Amino acid sequence: MLLALPLYSHALPSDGNQPIKLLADKATYSERTGVTSYSGNVIITQGTLKMTADNITMNLSPNRSINSAVATGRPATMQQVITQEKGLAKGQANKIEYNAVTGIITLTGNAKLTQNGASFAGNVIRYSLKAGDVEATAGNSQRVELLFPPSGNANQQGVR
């Protein structure tokens, strides 16, 4: 009832047709505000999507579609196959925010995102499911760290 639409509508089209399974120690829903909260070892799965967190709060529209979701944990995690070509994206952070309108995931606090062999780490990472763009921002005394795998072309010469 509460999760009638997929969390990440821009991933594999088949994910949106899969049932949603939610496990938590406690769930509350306010009909008046459209806010749904889950707490205690929360796990959400739908198709290739999996989110884990200590707490997840969702804001629902009047027709009960998801407007946004915020997951918190130490760390909160998410993973999903974006497309067959892009493969599995995995993220973790102290807080993961998802905006269903823009298709942007924001990972905040000890954030890390990996996809297709590349990884991004920083205080804040913004990832667009629609465009595939990633923006990482440093924080405190931390710097942004990017790691890209070798291209796999054996004929390329290294830096000498």
Side-chain angles (χ1 to χ4, degrees):
M1 169 184 94
L2 300 177
L3 297 171
L5 294 179
L7 284 176
Y8 298 95
S9 60
H10 298 94
L12 287 179
S14 60
D15 282 354
N17 299 324
Q18 301 298 315
I20 296 169
K21 181 177 180 180
L22 190 135
L23 299 170
D25 294 338
K26 182 179 180 182
T28 59
Y29 172 68
S30 170
E31 181 76 33
R32 182 180 53 77
T33 63
V35 174
T36 307
S37 299
Y38 306 94
S39 61
N41 193 26
V42 184
I43 302 170
I44 296 175
T45 57
Q46 181 184 31
T48 66
L49 167 68
K50 181 177 182 180
M51 285 185 74
T52 64
D54 296 332
N55 301 288
I56 295 179
T57 301
M58 290 188 218
N59 291 300
L60 305 177
S61 69
N63 66 357
R64 298 198 182 174
S65 63
I66 297 169
N67 287 332
S68 64
V70 177
T72 58
R74 299 253 178 230
T77 67
M78 59 77 53
Q79 69 176 35
Q80 185 171 31
V81 174
I82 302 303
T83 65
Q84 291 300 337
E85 299 78 34
K86 290 183 180 180
L88 182 68
K90 290 183 177 183
Q92 70 177 43
N94 296 340
K95 180 167 79 169
I96 300 174
E97 297 176 72
Y98 170 63
N99 183 318
V101 177
T102 63
I104 293 177
I105 298 172
T106 304
L107 301 105
T108 306
N110 299 311
K112 184 172 184 181
L113 177 70
T114 60
Q115 182 178 352
N116 221 9
S119 70
F120 305 84
N123 188 51
V124 178
I125 298 173
R126 290 175 42 90
Y127 178 58
S128 170
L129 290 172
K130 292 178 182 179
D133 296 341
V134 178
E135 175 186 284
T137 306
N140 303 326
S141 61
Q142 180 183 16
R143 297 185 70 188
V144 172
E145 179 181 307
L146 307 171
L147 176 64
F148 298 99
S151 67
N153 185 347
N155 294 331
Q156 285 186 336
Q157 301 233 349
V159 176
R160 295 180 194 244

